[in-house]
Amino acid sequence: MPVTAVGQLRFFRTFDLMNMAIGKLSLEGIGQDRPFVIAGPCAAENREQVLGTAEALSRIGVRYFRAGVWKPRTRPGGFEGVGSIAFEWMQEARELYGLRIATEVATPHHVEAALAAHTDLLWIGARTTASPFAVQEIAEALKGTGVQLLIKNPVSPDLSLWCGAVERFLESGLRRIGLIHRGFSWIGGSSCRNAPLWNLPIEMRRLWPDVTMVCDPSHIGGRRDLVGPLAQQALDLDFDGLLIESHIDPASALSDRGQQLTPKELELTLKSLHRREDAPMPSEVSALRGRIDALDREMIELLAARQEITDSIGRYKKSNDLPLLQSGRYREIIADRARLAREKGLDPDYVTALMETIHDESIRRQVEP
Ligand code: PEP
Ligand code: MN
């Protein structure tokens, strides 16, 4: 299943983060070695749909029930959620089936209504994370509540926006914070609705090592057949849990119809997932890792030598009043290195992305004083 069509390299600039640790959230899993699962419909639509879905999900062991109360639609005219009335149905589901309830909040008014309904878990949607003013307002509304909060990645592949949202909530005193990876809008090709760009959540995990990482394969894939393969990839990348859309009757869903699983399909999907166990590596693997370390050192030496040469060419161009970028030469380099890559059995797109990153850095050093 081609669910990782996008493996583009990204060039992250490191920046200083607020020096505040984030601990793991304690969300219950399904079974011992299984990830925890937050499941439920994209949106709460009516009482029967909420209670029917919640009952079926509780039977397969789901403990966290999600439902959108207000739906942030990119364009007006679509189904925008039923509003606060949904909390009555969700609270009923909590009482009847022993579930905890989760929803998205996008404004201080949503926060107020969700807290009044004692919602157990809140999340910030992708469109909201992209808006610092909205995040700040919600952070202020949540001050002093100690609520559990999951922050989705912003729609665009911008790591600093995602970090900024985490920092705003930390600043307002929240500590029970986790992250949801739901994929990114991407102009390059991807078989997914939102390109996974796995290296971004991996980078967030490097920045906040203990943060709870949840994958939302429903919104990444946008198609029910992609949910399972994407969820497995998330487990292989050591995600802690999954957020999956499930509807008692997906064909009649008012939003995200193509990606919602029936509770039965969810059960089968979860059964098919497995977590590979971490185990000590045999000595052959350690020896191979030693060779990788040596090759990496050599590559860095080579990059430094290459950089020295491009720096001196840059100085020459500046002192002779020549343009910094000669597009013809750049095109030749890219085409030639892609050809070499092909000869060596490497993906030319991979080597092109690498050459672009190297070239970006040379340009940056020549442009910046
Ligand atoms: C959702 O979870 O239903 C949703 C709207 O998601 P996102 O913010 O990821 O688009
Ligand atoms: Mn949805």
Side-chain angles (χ1 to χ4, degrees):
M1 193 65 57
V3 286
T4 45
V6 176
Q8 195 80 12
L9 294 178
R10 302 288 308 167
F11 189 14
F12 301 123
R13 299 235 161 265
T14 39
F15 41 89
D16 289 331
L17 291 174
M18 281 180 68
N19 188 19
M20 284 185 197
I22 305 179
K24 282 264 174 251
L25 296 180
S26 52
L27 302 179
E28 300 155 56
I30 292 187
Q32 284 290 299
D33 57 342
R34 303 249 159 216
F36 67 78
V37 178
I38 304 162
C42 177
E45 297 168 2
N46 56 62
R47 182 170 174 273
E48 289 64 40
Q49 173 245 10
V50 167
L51 293 182
T53 309
E55 188 202 2
L57 290 175
S58 71
R59 281 182 194 279
I60 65 166
V62 168
R63 289 286 155 264
Y64 277 81
F65 179 75
R66 66 147 282 161
V69 170
W70 306 273
K71 297 308 298 174
R73 307 315 296 267
T74 303
R75 301 182 56 215
F79 172 61
E80 298 197 323
V82 296
S84 294
I85 178 96
F87 286 122
E88 291 179 18
W89 314 328
M90 290 169 77
Q91 284 178 294
E92 211 176 328
R94 175 166 54 194
E95 276 154 36
L96 288 173
Y97 311 118
L99 293 162
R100 292 174 195 266
I101 55 174
T103 203
E104 170 177 349
V105 287
T107 69
H109 158 70
H110 295 168
V111 169
E112 194 186 323
L115 294 177
H118 305 289
T119 309
D120 301 285
L121 178 66
L122 304 179
W123 80 82
I124 305 297
R127 291 160 194 76
T128 308
T129 307
S131 164
F133 285 135
V135 169
Q136 187 61 37
E137 279 182 6
I138 300 168
E140 276 158 32
L142 285 173
K143 219 172 233 167
T145 62
V147 75
Q148 297 204 91
L149 182 75
L150 294 171
I151 306 171
K152 285 200 174 195
N153 65 257
V155 279
S156 54
D158 184 336
L159 210 65
S160 48
L161 268 179
W162 202 359
C163 288
V166 174
E167 292 177 306
R168 286 180 199 277
F169 288 109
L170 284 172
E171 252 172 357
S172 76
L174 262 66
R175 291 293 174 273
R176 297 161 80 203
I177 294 175
L179 302 174
I180 303 174
H181 170 227
R182 52 76 81 193
F184 301 87
S185 300
W186 187 249
I187 47 166
S190 171
S191 50
C192 294
R193 173 179 174 188
N194 291 297
L197 304 179
W198 293 104
N199 49 342
L200 276 88
I202 290 171
E203 180 65 3
M204 288 299 271
R205 170 58 78 63
R206 191 183 69 75
L207 295 171
W208 277 293
D210 293 323
V211 76
T212 301
M213 290 289 320
V214 181
C215 179
D216 173 351
S218 307
H219 288 91
I220 296 176
R223 274 174 26 199
R224 88 178 39 84
D225 62 314
L226 294 181
V227 172
L230 285 162
Q232 184 59 53
Q233 288 187 356
L235 293 197
D236 293 342
L237 294 170
D238 205 25
F239 276 63
D240 301 289
L242 300 166
L243 175 79
I244 299 183
E245 286 189 341
S246 175
H247 189 296
I248 195 72
D249 177 23
S252 71
L254 298 178
S255 56
D256 285 351
R257 191 170 298 160
Q259 70 193 33
Q260 306 207 54
L261 304 179
T262 62
K264 183 75 200 161
E265 286 167 339
L266 177 64
E267 183 182 23
L268 294 174
T269 302
L270 294 177
K271 282 201 174 131
S272 75
L273 300 178
H274 56 287
R275 219 188 249 292
R276 297 175 225 275
E277 283 307 315
D278 212 359
M281 290 291 177
S283 58
E284 302 92 275
V285 176
S286 308
L288 290 173
R289 284 186 166 166
R291 282 176 58 194
I292 286 187
D293 292 347
L295 284 170
D296 283 353
R297 275 193 292 274
E298 224 175 287
M299 281 198 299
I300 290 169
E301 297 283 341
L302 289 172
L303 285 172
R306 188 185 194 284
Q307 193 62 64
E308 235 174 78
I309 298 174
T310 48
D311 283 353
S312 55
I313 295 178
R315 281 192 297 275
Y316 177 85
K317 285 180 188 161
K318 255 190 198 155
S319 53
N320 290 281
D321 218 14
L322 292 167
L324 290 184
L325 180 67
Q326 273 142 348
S327 330
R329 161 85 180 142
Y330 182 46
R331 264 200 307 276
E332 266 168 41
I333 290 189
I334 295 289
D336 177 69
R337 304 322 183 243
R339 184 184 54 75
L340 278 174
R342 224 174 267 116
E343 268 175 37
K344 295 281 172 198
L346 291 171
D347 181 341
D349 288 346
Y350 156 63
V351 171
T352 298
L354 198 56
M355 293 310 301
E356 283 169 352
T357 301
I358 292 171
H359 188 256
D360 280 356
E361 177 62 0
S362 294
I363 294 287
R364 186 189 66 80
R365 286 168 70 116
Q366 292 176 38
V367 169
E368 282 178 11

